[in-house]
Amino acid sequence: MATPDQKSPNVLLQNLCCRILGRSEADVAQQFQYAVRVIGSNFAPTVERDEFLVAEKIKKELIRQRREADAALFSELHRKLHSQGILKNKWSILYLLLSLSEDPRKQPSKVSSYAALFAQALPRDAHSTPYYYARPQSLPLSYQDRSAPSAPSSGSMGSSGISSVSLCGLSGPAPTPQPLLPGQSHQAPGIGDCLRQQLGSRLAWTLTANQPSLQTTTSRGIPNTARNVTRSRREGDTGGTMEVTEAALVRDILYVFQGIDGKNIKMSNTENCYKVEGKANLSKSLRDTAVRLAELGWLHNKIRKYTDQRSLDRSFGLVGQSFCAALHQELKEYYRLLSVLHSQLQLEDDQGVNLGLESSLTLRRLLVWTYDPKIRLKTLAALVDHCQGRKGGELASAVHAYTKTGDPYMRSLVQHILSLVSHPILSFLYRWIYDGELEDTYHEFFVASDPTVKTDRLWHDKYTLRKSMIPSFITMDQSRKVLLIGKSINFLHQVCHDQTPTAKMIAVTRSAESPQDAADLFTDLENAFQGKIDAAYFETSKYLLDVLNKKYSLLDHMQAMRRYLLLGQGDFIRHLMDLLKPELVRPATTLYQHNLTGILETAVRATNAQFDSPEILRRLDVRLLEVSPGDTGWDVFSLDYHVDGPIATVFTRECMSHYLRVFNFLWRAKRMEYILTDIRKGHMCNAKLLRSVPEFSGVLHQCHILASEMVHFIHQMQYYITFEVLECSWDELWNKVQRAQDLDHIIAAHEVFLDTIISRCLLDSSSRALLNQLRAVFDQIIELQNAQDAIYRTALEELQRRLQFEEKKKQHEIEGQWGVTAAEEEEEEKRVQEFKESIPKMCSQLRILTHFYQGIVQQFLVLLTTSSDESLQFLSFRLDFNEHYKAREPRLHVSLGTRGRRSSHT
Amino acid sequence: LAGHGVEARAATNMNAVRDTMDVLLEISRILNTGLDRETLSICVRLCEQGINLEALSSVIKELRKVTEALKAAENMTADFLEKF
């Protein structure tokens, strides 16, 4: 060849690519490589052909195309070419030109645009749902992707279901090399299969089925064009006016997809479905297909209606809004698909109706393409149905219920929506447990705050659980803990006035909140979330208890209550009683509080109580109860302990009233003990003296016996009260309080303690009878004391007089007179006689007293044995240890039942 | 004249080449191949070097298809972005 530049074929090829594609060298790399591959595989030229043969072929072709003039022109040109000797292989260029020639009558093929349309991935915006491609053969999808990292991991693909259809489509020239290899027929169903397997989507299937016929392959250039032409001619017959064409139906369907009534397919409100108009002249199969497709429109309407309604609802709340937003995004993806279909339709319109079969939208194609979207819309519509009328945590629970499905596709969709929906709830939760703040205008969170409650009842009443709003993925235990944490923080801020920032208090790092967080939460729900809540709970509660104990000495106050109100500090109580005795025998109306307070302080200073901390002693005080007529001081006196601030949360007003009742009871019992010791003292002091009045011995003996009985009784009662009731319960309380993890535990333990004491001290309503009996016993003791006092007075008086008499007698004898005159002696005799007569009266009085007392005690015992409390039953054993009362009381003879209880006979 | 001979021969060669190219361009126009002068000249050179004609022909057709596809896609994308 005489041309000056002998460039290498590669360079030429590259230039060719640049020219045809109209781009610079760098951009054509891909295509260039492809070209090289193709041509390089077959560089050896084919069979040498004759130049004249080729020229003849061209002429024939031109004549066939009815271009005789052009044929003549060509002959001329060929002759000229032939005469020039420049080219060596004239035939080759002629052949090439022939193969590249195109019939001017043939329509420009729209095939390429069509394939390209679906070969391109749609522009990837922030898509809604990650499309989890859970198919077994997750092979790389195209030539380019083969080098890319394989199998899309969850969340990384980030495209919606609709556009992912195109992702598995073909891009550009990728699949074409195979069919171009020489020797392969252009039909190549095997290739279609292989590609089908690779891509695995129905769309690719339809595409590859079309591909082979779309390509104009090598040796079939002319016949192919011929075939295409004939086919298009055949297609031209459709479009009769009577029958509704498939194209019209397709147009209608595209409207129906958006929820708008088409010309032939309309929404029938009575049956709530889309129906094809009966009069339309349609084949049954088309009608059925159309109706099936219309379901998509129905689903779309349902979802749209819900979101539209909800967007108008002002009180829907954050959770509901995020739900609607998620639905809206899904619908947006759906709209994208619709717009793609629409533009396809548009393209067809622009080119005229008579197109090849391959490039039009048919109902069947729509069916296949909308299969996946239909599943999505179905899931969404089911969700919408389920979530009607719910909001807040309830809505989240409803969505959560739908994640329990085996279908991984549906599960991923619903989980995505769930993570969006639960994000507001989680943000509420985090704010609550880390800051103690609750900003819940629509009442969606499961912690409710009552604004009318003041700070003194903050712990008990202000915050409650809204049970309906607890989402189903948060357990009851967790929600209680959450409530407690926030409550503690608020308590610290408002009641304890402790403004320590939570950052210092809580060592847990606060994770960034994002929807991704919410999604993670559900996959790893057990550990991360529970861990967070537990950590926050431990830290907050520990801190709260520390503050209460150190700053407010809660436990110290509890012990102080025990010592003073529950008569734990024996020496102090004793001394107090000693000092108060002369005051309290006076009528109640004459008592003055300041006097009593002064006595209290004296008692404190004189005993071990003085070593208590001044904080505690400050709170100790005297309280005078309401005065009823006839009360003595003993009936109205009470100690009191002032509580305020955080301590009042544990020692509420109710608790304090319980304490006072118990104090009253214990104080009375103590007083009885005191009285009896006085009686005993009296006995011992006067016994010697009264030995010289022998008449008295009977009376005194009776007195002693009765007193002993009473002492025994009171002794047992005191033992019971002190050991069985107070000490045991206190021990339990103390253990619980030491081990308590949060304030609720302490409050609960304390309440249990008080309840036990109250019921065991016979102060609750079920033991009223017993209590009355006991009071009666106490009254008898007081009676005895009075009686005894009277007896002693008389006796001592008598003794005094006798002594006086003896004195006088001695005096007279010393003076030398008669010791005693007859008249004096007589007088004396008379007096002694009178005295002796009064003794039986005293005896009988005592006997009555004894009898009365014993009756009361027996009644008490009977009641005890029929009580349900075990310790009271044991008390009855101890009281009647030597069966002294049993001998007298026939009712006590009844044997005990199998459970150690006597049935109630009263 | 000997010195001019080479140049003259070169000149005549150039003329001949140009004439040949014109003829080929005309034929290509008649046959409606859609090739322009540049492309045609590259093709001629490749053919002279004995390239596989079927392969070359398919390559050219494919490249053309790609061009059209890219153009169509650009239009489509523009449309989409307009709508949204």
Side-chain angles (χ1 to χ4, degrees):
Chain A
M1 175 122 159
T3 49
D5 44 346
Q6 287 276 358
K7 289 198 187 143
S8 79
N10 279 352
V11 174
L12 287 173
L13 207 51
Q14 191 171 41
N15 288 347
L16 184 64
C17 295
C18 293
R19 285 289 317 174
I20 297 184
L21 289 174
R23 292 187 178 175
S24 66
E25 280 177 20
D27 291 335
V28 302
Q30 187 182 313
Q31 278 76 13
F32 174 57
Q33 277 171 22
Y34 153 73
V36 165
R37 216 184 300 132
V38 167
I39 293 178
S41 56
N42 297 297
F43 200 78
T46 50
V47 177
E48 177 115 344
R49 300 232 189 145
D50 194 2
E51 180 193 344
F52 285 103
L53 269 174
V54 178
E56 285 307 305
K57 252 196 180 166
I58 293 178
K59 270 187 255 185
K60 246 189 263 175
E61 174 60 30
L62 284 173
I63 289 171
R64 196 182 61 80
Q65 287 176 16
R66 310 224 174 95
R67 294 160 61 189
E68 288 88 1
D70 288 337
L73 196 54
F74 172 72
S75 316
E76 189 62 37
L77 291 168
H78 181 232
R79 209 174 34 74
K80 239 196 272 178
L81 189 66
H82 196 61
S83 62
Q84 290 167 345
I86 307 293
L87 294 178
K88 263 193 291 185
N89 298 335
K90 295 200 217 6
W91 69 269
S92 60
I93 187 64
L94 284 175
Y95 183 74
L96 181 67
L97 288 175
L98 177 60
S99 63
L100 284 176
S101 73
E102 288 176 3
D103 187 346
R105 293 183 302 174
K106 193 168 112 181
Q107 299 284 353
S109 156
K110 277 294 146 203
V111 162
S112 51
S113 66
Y114 170 82
L117 191 63
F118 284 91
Q120 290 280 335
L122 289 173
R124 288 199 199 185
D125 296 348
H127 287 284
S128 60
T129 319
Y131 182 61
Y132 295 101
Y133 218 104
R135 308 211 187 211
Q137 61 275 49
S138 48
L139 294 173
L141 305 172
S142 67
Y143 263 73
Q144 288 86 324
D145 288 352
R146 241 161 251 199
S147 51
S150 60
S153 54
S154 61
S156 63
M157 273 181 62
S159 67
S160 79
I162 295 169
S163 59
S164 68
V165 160
S166 54
L167 186 65
C168 49
L170 319 168
S171 55
T176 50
Q178 280 130 327
L180 284 181
L181 288 174
Q184 282 197 347
S185 74
H186 81 291
Q187 268 305 322
I191 291 177
D193 277 333
C194 147
L195 279 171
R196 226 175 292 151
Q197 274 165 17
Q198 275 183 346
L199 303 170
S201 89
R202 292 165 194 88
L203 181 58
W205 187 81
T206 53
L207 281 178
T208 52
N210 289 326
Q211 285 288 1
S213 55
L214 296 176
Q215 290 155 14
T216 49
T217 50
T218 55
S219 46
R220 311 277 188 108
I222 300 173
N224 217 357
T225 346
R227 210 185 319 118
N228 281 345
V229 169
T230 42
R231 211 174 288 152
S232 60
R233 256 194 251 130
R234 243 187 298 130
E235 279 289 313
D237 292 338
T238 56
T241 45
M242 299 314 292
E243 198 178 314
V244 177
T245 60
E246 189 169 350
L249 266 185
V250 165
R251 226 174 286 270
D252 266 0
I253 283 286
L254 284 184
Y255 282 123
V256 166
F257 278 170
Q258 290 171 33
I260 307 168
D261 282 349
K263 255 202 298 243
N264 302 313
I265 308 178
K266 296 206 180 9
M267 179 69 163
S268 142
N269 282 322
T270 49
E271 294 173 41
N272 195 17
C273 67
Y274 275 100
K275 282 181 119 18
V276 181
E277 285 204 354
K279 352 191 203 81
N281 189 356
L282 274 186
S283 68
K284 182 128 183 17
S285 70
L286 280 180
R287 197 186 284 263
D288 284 344
T289 321
V291 169
R292 265 209 279 168
L293 283 170
E295 185 188 352
L296 215 63
W298 185 83
L299 291 171
H300 163 268
N301 279 354
K302 192 194 243 298
I303 300 176
R304 197 57 202 266
K305 198 164 95 164
Y306 181 76
T307 51
D308 286 343
Q309 269 179 354
R310 289 285 145 257
S311 61
L312 295 173
D313 186 357
R314 297 208 142 267
S315 71
F316 199 31
L318 295 170
V319 175
Q321 281 171 12
S322 49
F323 182 55
C324 282
L327 285 177
H328 207 73
Q329 262 192 316
E330 296 292 330
L331 279 183
K332 227 167 70 165
E333 294 294 333
Y334 175 67
Y335 288 142
R336 259 193 213 161
L337 170 68
L338 291 188
S339 64
V340 166
L341 293 173
H342 235 99
S343 48
Q344 181 60 21
L345 205 59
Q346 210 65 27
L347 264 162
E348 284 178 26
D349 282 346
D350 290 340
Q351 301 301 326
V353 188
N354 292 341
L355 278 183
L357 184 62
E358 308 85 12
S359 50
S360 66
L361 279 181
T362 65
L363 289 182
R364 294 244 171 269
R365 282 218 187 103
L366 283 180
L367 256 186
V368 166
W369 287 337
T370 56
Y371 186 77
D372 276 340
K374 191 177 344 198
I375 295 184
R376 288 173 86 78
L377 282 188
K378 264 199 190 145
T379 315
L380 293 175
L383 260 183
V384 158
D385 261 345
H386 193 55
C387 297
Q388 281 288 354
R390 298 186 204 230
K391 64 177 209 170
E394 258 188 300
L395 183 56
S397 299
V399 176
H400 183 243
Y402 260 81
T403 60
K404 297 187 176 37
T405 165
D407 180 356
Y409 176 42
M410 199 164 119
R411 190 176 343 135
S412 66
L413 171 61
V414 181
Q415 258 184 355
H416 178 79
I417 294 188
L418 180 62
S419 66
L420 287 175
V421 156
S422 56
H423 178 62
I425 296 185
L426 281 176
S427 65
F428 277 141
L429 194 129
Y430 286 138
R431 274 189 79 197
W432 175 244
I433 64 178
Y434 292 128
D435 292 331
E437 278 172 25
L438 193 63
E439 258 188 57
D440 182 19
T441 34
Y442 300 110
H443 304 294
E444 300 177 281
F445 193 45
F446 53 85
V447 173
S449 150
D450 188 353
T452 59
V453 174
K454 309 248 177 15
T455 48
D456 55 341
R457 294 293 298 175
L458 186 141
W459 184 264
H460 296 279
D461 294 340
K462 185 152 181 152
Y463 298 108
T464 47
L465 271 183
R466 226 183 249 132
K467 292 215 172 58
S468 59
M469 288 297 171
I470 300 181
S472 47
F473 41 85
I474 294 183
T475 64
M476 196 63 189
D477 187 49
Q478 281 170 347
S479 49
R480 269 199 225 108
K481 274 199 184 145
V482 163
L483 176 68
L484 188 70
I485 297 170
K487 218 168 35 164
S488 313
I489 297 179
N490 274 304
F491 187 73
L492 279 168
H493 285 331
Q494 286 171 25
V495 182
C496 304
H497 305 295
D498 186 294
Q499 296 288 342
T500 323
T502 56
K504 204 164 53 159
M505 179 163 80
I506 294 176
V508 174
T509 50
R510 185 172 168 180
S511 55
E513 295 168 37
S514 63
Q516 194 56 33
D517 240 20
D520 283 346
L521 216 51
F522 298 113
T523 50
D524 193 26
L525 192 59
E526 294 308 307
N527 304 325
F529 187 59
Q530 182 74 19
K532 272 201 195 124
I533 292 189
D534 281 344
Y537 167 72
F538 283 131
E539 289 292 333
T540 319
S541 302
K542 196 159 79 75
Y543 186 72
L544 177 63
L545 290 178
D546 277 346
V547 163
L548 279 178
N549 286 337
K550 296 204 181 94
K551 201 159 143 198
Y552 294 97
S553 4
L554 176 70
L555 298 183
D556 290 343
H557 285 302
M558 207 177 264
Q559 279 185 323
M561 292 270 189
R562 164 87 176 99
R563 278 208 298 272
Y564 295 111
L565 287 185
L566 299 183
L567 309 188
Q569 187 87 20
D571 58 342
F572 165 72
I573 297 292
R574 188 84 192 155
H575 194 60
L576 183 67
M577 215 177 251
D578 282 342
L579 294 173
L580 281 173
K581 198 161 72 135
E583 290 287 327
L584 293 181
V585 287
R586 296 202 326 241
T589 45
T590 60
L591 290 175
Y592 292 114
Q593 179 131 1
H594 58 267
N595 286 344
L596 297 173
T597 320
I599 294 176
L600 177 70
E601 277 179 27
T602 322
V604 165
R605 265 181 281 126
T607 62
N608 276 334
Q610 65 186 294
F611 302 120
D612 265 342
S613 88
E615 177 63 33
I616 292 177
L617 294 174
R618 190 167 63 86
R619 294 172 185 265
L620 202 55
D621 200 5
V622 168
R623 188 199 182 99
L624 290 176
L625 305 174
E626 271 179 32
V627 179
S628 336
D631 275 350
T632 63
W634 287 110
D635 299 322
V636 299
F637 175 80
S638 176
L639 278 181
D640 197 10
Y641 197 88
H642 294 291
V643 283
D644 56 12
I647 314 286
T649 312
V650 178
F651 299 110
T652 61
R653 217 159 290 170
E654 234 179 73
C655 291
M656 290 315 292
S657 70
H658 284 324
Y659 269 118
L660 291 180
R661 281 176 69 198
V662 177
F663 171 81
N664 198 302
F665 177 78
L666 295 174
W667 182 255
R668 263 178 223 263
K670 246 281 156 0
R671 184 189 163 205
M672 293 303 127
E673 203 186 310
Y674 200 79
I675 289 175
L676 284 171
T677 46
D678 272 355
I679 291 177
R680 261 283 191 231
K681 248 197 308 192
H683 283 175
M684 298 220 266
C685 292
N686 298 328
K688 276 213 182 115
L689 287 173
L690 293 174
R691 232 178 260 155
S692 48
V693 185
E695 299 89 350
F696 245 62
S697 56
V699 175
L700 288 177
H701 187 61
Q702 236 176 341
C703 228
H704 287 179
I705 292 175
L706 185 55
S708 302
E709 269 189 44
M710 290 182 175
V711 161
H712 168 78
F713 182 85
I714 291 295
H715 192 61
Q716 293 303 322
M717 277 306 295
Q718 282 290 64
Y719 169 82
Y720 164 75
I721 290 170
T722 319
F723 289 105
E724 299 252 336
V725 177
L726 287 179
E727 279 304 314
C728 293
S729 309
W730 175 255
D731 195 47
E732 233 179 83
L733 172 68
W734 198 245
N735 281 342
K736 278 194 207 160
V737 162
Q738 296 286 16
R739 281 181 312 176
Q741 283 178 336
D742 62 53
L743 191 55
D744 267 349
H745 288 173
I746 295 185
I747 293 179
H750 187 243
E751 276 178 23
V752 163
F753 168 69
L754 279 178
D755 283 340
T756 322
I757 292 186
I758 294 238
S759 72
R760 294 238 177 109
C761 289
L762 313 173
L763 291 170
D764 61 359
S765 46
S766 57
S767 320
R768 193 147 281 277
L770 272 171
L771 190 63
N772 288 339
Q773 283 301 109
L774 200 58
R775 291 264 166 85
V777 170
F778 290 169
D779 288 337
Q780 293 309 306
I781 296 178
I782 297 174
E783 281 295 322
L784 174 64
Q785 188 188 40
N786 293 339
Q788 174 137 328
D789 281 347
I791 289 172
Y792 279 145
R793 240 200 327 259
T794 334
L796 286 173
E797 239 181 58
E798 176 61 28
L799 187 65
Q800 190 72 12
R801 286 229 198 94
R802 286 195 194 176
L803 281 175
Q804 260 180 0
F805 186 67
E806 293 298 316
E807 271 290 323
K808 243 186 13 194
K809 208 160 88 168
K810 269 202 190 101
Q811 187 73 21
H812 283 178
E813 279 181 356
I814 290 173
E815 285 174 4
Q817 295 170 1
W818 283 114
V820 85
T821 60
E824 281 175 354
E825 205 166 329
E826 223 178 88
E827 211 185 290
E828 186 64 24
E829 282 286 332
K830 205 164 64 179
R831 202 181 52 85
V832 170
Q833 194 63 29
E834 261 176 35
F835 175 68
K836 282 195 186 145
E837 271 162 23
S838 70
I839 289 179
K841 204 161 55 169
M842 282 187 243
C843 276
S844 59
Q845 200 185 13
L846 273 178
R847 227 177 291 136
I848 292 171
L849 198 61
T850 315
H851 190 76
F852 208 46
Y853 169 76
Q854 281 176 350
I856 294 175
V857 170
Q858 275 161 20
Q859 184 70 13
F860 186 67
L861 280 174
V862 169
L863 283 173
L864 272 185
T865 53
T866 58
S867 87
S868 51
D869 195 346
E870 266 187 3
S871 42
L872 287 175
Q873 287 173 7
F874 286 137
L875 178 64
S876 80
F877 280 139
R878 252 183 267 118
L879 283 175
D880 197 20
F881 190 69
N882 55 1
E883 298 187 354
H884 169 74
Y885 294 103
K886 194 157 158 188
R888 303 197 190 171
E889 170 62 54
R891 280 183 295 178
L892 291 173
H893 277 201
V894 175
S895 65
L896 301 172
T898 46
R899 291 244 212 100
R901 279 183 62 170
R902 290 199 177 103
S903 48
S904 164
H905 276 307
T906 47
Chain B
L1 262 166
H4 284 287
V6 175
E7 287 157 2
R9 233 175 298 137
T12 9
N13 260 345
M14 289 306 292
N15 283 335
V17 166
R18 213 178 304 121
D19 284 338
T20 317
M21 278 314 294
D22 286 337
V23 168
L24 284 177
L25 202 57
E26 193 59 33
I27 298 178
S28 145
R29 192 191 58 78
I30 289 175
L31 289 177
N32 207 5
T33 59
L35 295 171
D36 57 345
R37 190 183 271 276
E38 261 300 314
T39 323
L40 186 57
S41 74
I42 300 177
C43 287
V44 166
R45 271 183 249 158
L46 281 171
C47 290
E48 287 295 297
Q49 290 179 14
I51 197 170
N52 180 354
L53 292 173
E54 287 97 333
L56 179 60
S57 149
S58 347
V59 166
I60 292 178
K61 284 194 199 138
E62 196 51 48
L63 288 175
R64 279 200 184 141
K65 250 193 267 179
V66 169
T67 323
E68 269 183 56
L70 287 175
K71 233 183 290 177
E74 272 163 29
N75 290 343
M76 213 60 58
T77 319
D79 275 349
F80 273 163
L81 294 178
E82 255 175 48
K83 278 191 192 138
F84 286 106

